Structure formats: C-alpha cells, structure tokens
Amino acid sequence: MPHYNELTDELAAKLKSIVGEDNYEYEDINEDYAHDEMPIYGSRMPDLVLFPATTEQVSEIMAVCNEHEIPVTVRGAGTGLAGGCTPLAGGVILCTMHMDQIIGYDMNNLNVRVQPGVRLCDLAADALEHDLMYPPDPGEKTGSIGGNVSTNAGGMRAVKYGTTRDYVEAVTAVLPNGHIMKIGRAVAKSSSGYSLLHLLVGSEGTLAVITELTMKLIPNPQENISFILPFTDINEAISAVPKIKLAGLNPQSLEFMERDIVDSSAAATGNNVFPTEVQGQEAGAYILVTLDGNDLDEIMQRAETLAEVADEAGAFDVLVVDEPSQKEAVWAARSAFLTVIEDEADLLDEMDVCVPVDKIAAMLKFVHETGVKYGVRIRSFGHAGDGNLHIYCAGNDIDEGEFKEKVAKVMHDAYAKAEEFGGQVSGEHGIGFGKKAYLRESLGNEAIALMAGIKNVFDPKGILNPGKVCSDL
Ligand SMILES: Cc1cc2nc3c(=O)[nH]c(=O)nc-3n(C[C@H](O)[C@H](O)[C@H](O)COP(=O)(O)OP(=O)(O)OC[C@H]3O[C@@H](n4cnc5c(N)ncnc54)[C@H](O)[C@@H]3O)c2cc1C
C-alpha cells in the first residue's frame, strides 16, 4: 500500500506560491471539492485546492507532491458519475478549470489545440463558429474536455461518430514525478509502438495529468432532423433499433426512453414535447432518432426508409422534429432526464452498463424485475444505438445504510446479467471508486493485476488519484 504524508503548512505555502494568489483554496475550502456528482461513492475534504494555469505549474506541483508523498487528485468540472475526482486520501485537488484557453485551430488538418479546462459546451460552440463540429456530445455540457478525455465520455452522437477517444490526436501530459511528455501526434494514423495516448484516454486521472490536447474536428453537417417514434412498450421500441441500423440510415443519434421518465421530465420542466397518446394509442416507450447530412432532400429520402422500418417495427407514427424551437425543446427534455431523477430522489446510485444492442430490452426487463424483488425504485433511459443503458436506483424516505444494502443486491445481480450478455461494466462514465468491485468481478484478478502493474510504472509512489479504478488505499 502507498504511504502518504500530511500536508504541512510549510508545504502548502510552497504549493500555493507556484499558482499564486487567487488560484488556491486552503483554509476555507468549498465542500464541492469533496466529491463529484455521485456523493454516495464517498466524500472527503482535500487539504488544499490548486488551480494551475500552465503545464509548467502542473509539473512543479507534481514534482513537489511526488517528493513529499502527498496524494494528488485531478479534477475538471466535477460532473463525473463514478466518484473519479473524489480525493479519497485527502491531500491536493489539482483543478484544471483555470486552464481554459482554446489555443488555436489548424484548419488544414482539421484539429484544435485546447487546455484541459475548456468546457465541452464552449468548445462545441466555438468549433461551430469555424463551421466545424466537435462530435462527442455527452449529456452534461459543462464537463471539461480534460475530464471527457479522462473518462472517454460518450454521449448521444456516439452511434455515428464514436466516443471522445476517437477525437484525441495528441496530448501533453505531466507524469506523477513532474516530467512533461508530449504523447501522440496530430496525424490521422499511427502504428508506432504501444499506444500511450490510448492508455491515457479513459485512465481517469490515475496515470498522468493531461495539460493540453489536440482534438480532431469534422466539417459541420449543415442539416439535421430529429424524429420521435412512439411505441406500445420498450420491447417493441428496442426491436426497431437493429432494423434502423441495418437499413443503412446512419443515424447521428438513436436514444430510447420509457414513458415514466418522459412524464417526470414533462412535469418538472413543463415541456410536453413527447406525445403521450398517438392516433388513439397510449405510448409506453419512444425512440428518438436524428439524421444528419449536408443535403435536406437526401435526409428526407432516408426519413422515408425510416418511416417504413418504424411502421414494420410497430411504431404508431413518425413525428418529424424539424423546427429549431421544436428540436431545442425535444433535446432539452432528453437532456433533463438525469436532473429530473436527481431532483426526485433523496438517494441515488447508478449503472452505466453497455450490452449488445439486441440485449437492451432483456437487460431492462431483468433490472426492473430485480428492483421489484429487492424493493428498489428503478429509472432508466439510454443510448439505444450503442446498447449503453443508464439505470438509476432511487431512494426516498429510507435510511442510507439500508438503501446501500438493497442497491448492492440489485447491482450484483444486474452486473452478473450484463456479464452473461457479454456486456461491459461502464459504457462511458468510468470506474472511479464506485464501480471498482464490479470491474474486478467482470474482468478478473489477472486483468486488474495488469492494470495495477501499468499504474505502478507511471506512478510508483501511488500519489495520483489513489484508490481508483485498479488501486487500493
Ligand atoms: C447530468 C449529467 C449528464 C451526463 N451525461 C453524460 C453522458 O451522456 N455521457 C458521458 O460520458 N458522461 C456523462 N456524464 C458524466 C460526466 O459529465 C463525464 O464523466 C465528464 O467526462 C466528466 O468531466 P469533468 O470535467 O466533470 O470531470 P471530473 O468529474 O472532474 O473528473 C472525472 C475524472 O477525470 C479525471 N480528470 C479530469 N480532468 C483530468 C485531466 N486534465 N487529466 C487527468 N485526469 C483528469 C478525474 O481525476 C476523474 O477521475 C453526465 C453527468 C451529468 C451530471
């Protein structure tokens, strides 16, 4: 087990002097820095929060902390859902949110250099100003690009464009000993030894601090239209998904949602964009499809095929969402799902499993039945196009200890079922602290030992983000 030292006032003064006045919190630290968006996975106040502005400052901080064996947890915007940036061993939070510069675009090679604290919404909007698209589109737009890369965030457009990993060309990273490394190159291909770049993507701040990124962009598709497909129930809705993919419709996004979450979202936001009754039939589940491209006529041709496929699969109708205000309302309702669930529940835990697309309905049925069996309320929605399900265990008027016990039973059974279906523990949120035990169950001791060996090569003193993914405290 790693050994850590207490942060003395003297060491804190040295670290504070690296970042300068107004760039740290020491005596009066905001409680937010004790956890991410899932405090159920643990909460601990750091001893010092630092907001460096440059790679060189990060390097100096890491060198001091490594020498004195002070734990360091990197934090972006803190919107993670796996307890990834929770400083379990105390010590320093190194927050990247003052490193928020979009450094510049290379229009010939279609990429952009950014600091890690640039927020997703700011990069996406700025790229559009250049008529370029940054395709990854996780639901939480205020997360940082450094956090998105470190969790390999996915989101709504992954079914067509892939996940954040597919857009990282190169990074500057500071190793735990303070050494600065340029990893990857801004080129389209590489068969140049082990991919250290792809090892860092999704490493959740356990191997190095990412201090600059070169991200790939694409020409912005000029047109997009969304379609709401209402169905009797989730089984019918999900049965349409492989058919939509097989028909070569190449959707930009393909989301599913059940009626209960749509109703909750409508009640909370006043936004009734999903019809509950269509042609006299009560909708129990929906598929939301977006088609994009440069030619409206070509999109409408694909829409005709979509209508045929939807009809065969049992959709009541295909509702076209093409007005900008309609699109905004539909996607605002979709984006509000997690916030609505959070607002409704006193206690919340979540699964982010990824199963083969043809197992989505069976997985959801199993989890809902398991929830009933153990007395836990289940809410779910997710990315139908890539089998990534967001399943929430919600608790009200229940003691936290009892809630955790019940949820552990639900999760144990659900992850075992996902494993049986050939699924992964996390599709996009990461492992952090919250999913460590399930990762070990899924991958086995040998794979975890390999991961721990890699961690040890990068970070022999174990100071970076202790207790996460494959390391114990
Ligand atoms: C309402 C809501 C909706 C969401 N929807 C989605 C979704 O659709 N898809 C999805 O994938 N996620 C989603 N998330 C989860 C979250 O937004 C992502 O995990 C996001 O990538 C986290 O970014 P962050 O800047 O907040 O990272 P943080 O929470 O601050 O950190 C996350 C992890 O990355 C590490 N890290 C952060 N920055 C760096 C860096 N520069 N160098 C090294 N390590 C670093 C941290 O140590 C930690 O382990 C959602 C969250 C919320 C609250």
Side-chain angles (χ1 to χ4, degrees):
M1 290 295 155
H3 167 269
Y4 303 117
N5 290 317
E6 290 289 313
L7 185 77
T8 58
D9 283 343
E10 195 189 344
L11 262 184
K14 191 169 181 177
L15 290 165
K16 288 189 288 186
S17 72
I18 295 171
V19 292
E21 210 54 49
D22 297 332
N23 294 310
Y24 60 81
E25 290 186 19
Y26 187 44
E27 260 129 26
D28 195 15
I29 297 177
N30 189 323
E31 196 275 332
D32 284 351
Y33 293 106
H35 53 78
D36 65 2
E37 285 284 322
M38 290 298 285
I40 198 149
Y41 300 143
S43 173
R44 175 162 175 181
M45 286 300 279
D47 302 309
L48 173 65
V49 182
L50 297 170
F51 302 95
T54 64
T55 297
E56 290 67 28
Q57 288 181 2
V58 172
S59 165
E60 279 186 62
I61 292 166
M62 292 312 301
V64 170
C65 290
N66 196 51
E67 185 191 344
H68 296 278
E69 296 174 349
I70 304 293
V72 179
T73 303
V74 191
R75 180 183 168 106
T79 69
L81 296 171
C85 66
T86 305
L88 292 178
V92 171
I93 281 273
L94 190 161
C95 182
T96 62
M97 296 313 282
H98 287 194
M99 303 177 80
D100 59 356
Q101 300 302 306
I102 296 178
I103 301 165
Y105 289 80
D106 179 342
M107 295 302 287
N108 293 328
N109 292 299
L110 289 189
N111 61 43
V112 60
R113 278 170 61 212
V114 296
Q115 287 191 304
V118 171
R119 291 185 193 271
L120 169 66
C121 49
D122 295 332
L123 176 60
D126 200 68
L128 277 181
E129 297 282 314
H130 293 75
D131 210 11
L132 295 170
M133 181 200 231
Y134 175 64
D137 188 32
E140 177 57 67
K141 314 300 180 202
T142 66
S144 70
I145 297 299
N148 284 182
V149 169
S150 299
T151 54
N152 186 26
M156 330 279 185
R157 301 200 283 233
V159 62
K160 177 166 183 178
Y161 294 110
T163 60
T164 303
R165 176 183 301 284
D166 302 303
Y167 294 87
V168 189
E169 291 187 337
V171 301
T172 302
V174 176
L175 299 183
N177 64 8
H179 191 87
I180 300 170
M181 280 190 77
K182 304 263 184 199
I183 297 177
R185 300 284 184 276
V187 294
K189 291 167 81 178
S190 169
S191 300
S192 315
Y194 299 160
S195 177
L196 298 178
L197 182 70
H198 287 279
L199 201 51
L200 288 192
V201 176
S203 64
E204 301 185 56
T206 59
L207 302 180
V209 187
I210 296 171
T211 57
E212 193 188 304
L213 307 102
T214 304
M215 306 299 292
K216 188 169 99 176
L217 301 165
I218 63 169
N220 184 38
Q222 299 297 308
E223 309 286 350
N224 67 71
I225 304 182
S226 294
F227 304 87
I228 298 173
L229 281 49
F231 291 87
T232 307
D233 59 29
I234 192 70
N235 282 318
E236 283 204 354
I238 296 297
S239 76
V241 174
K243 294 178 182 134
I244 292 171
K245 293 177 92 175
L246 260 176
L249 299 179
N250 203 10
Q252 184 200 76
S253 57
L254 193 46
E255 301 284 298
F256 77 85
M257 50 222 65
E258 291 179 85
R259 172 68 181 274
D260 66 331
I261 189 81
V262 163
D263 286 348
S264 298
S265 173
T269 61
N271 184 344
N272 290 298
V273 282
F274 288 88
T276 50
E277 201 188 293
V278 182
Q279 298 173 355
Q281 291 160 295
E282 198 67 24
Y286 307 82
I287 296 286
L288 176 59
V289 185
T290 301
L291 302 179
D292 68 357
N294 287 324
D295 178 347
L296 215 43
D297 291 341
E298 186 275 330
I299 295 178
M300 287 320 289
Q301 274 171 19
R302 274 187 284 152
E304 279 174 29
T305 312
L306 175 67
E308 286 164 24
V309 170
D311 188 48
E312 269 172 44
F316 304 153
D317 201 352
V318 174
L319 305 152
V320 181
V321 184
D322 54 357
E323 290 297 322
S325 61
Q326 279 178 316
K327 282 187 207 169
E328 203 176 304
V330 164
W331 283 100
R334 162 62 184 86
S335 298
F337 287 169
L338 176 51
T339 313
V340 167
I341 293 172
E342 278 178 342
D343 289 349
E344 274 180 3
D346 297 335
L347 295 165
L348 205 61
D349 204 334
E350 71 128 29
M351 284 173 271
D352 158 51
V353 289
C354 196
V355 295
V357 169
D358 65 349
K359 298 288 189 290
I360 296 175
M363 186 70 207
L364 287 174
K365 182 168 180 287
F366 179 84
V367 178
H368 282 280
E369 285 169 1
T370 309
V372 171
K373 179 174 163 191
Y374 295 118
V376 174
R377 186 154 46 94
I378 303 288
R379 313 298 306 271
S380 60
F381 60 93
H383 311 298
D386 43 45
N388 188 193
L389 314 180
H390 299 318
I391 300 169
Y392 288 85
C393 296
N396 291 87
D397 304 321
I398 180 170
D399 164 73
E400 186 165 336
E402 194 189 336
F403 176 73
K404 282 184 171 173
E405 260 175 47
K406 288 183 173 197
V407 167
K409 288 179 186 162
V410 174
M411 296 220 169
H412 177 269
D413 292 5
Y415 281 116
K417 183 54 83 179
E419 187 66 26
E420 185 189 316
F421 284 155
Q424 286 279 21
V425 171
S426 169
E428 56 183 21
H429 294 165
I431 300 302
F433 177 66
K435 305 299 170 207
K436 262 173 58 177
Y438 303 115
L439 185 74
R440 185 178 283 275
E441 274 175 28
S442 167
L443 301 184
N445 289 338
E446 203 175 352
I448 298 294
L450 269 177
M451 289 187 191
I454 292 167
K455 160 84 175 158
N456 193 47
V457 171
F458 275 80
D459 183 17
K461 292 189 177 179
I463 61 160
L464 203 50
N465 209 356
K468 308 291 168 60
V469 186
C470 58
S471 73
D472 293 322
L473 277 179

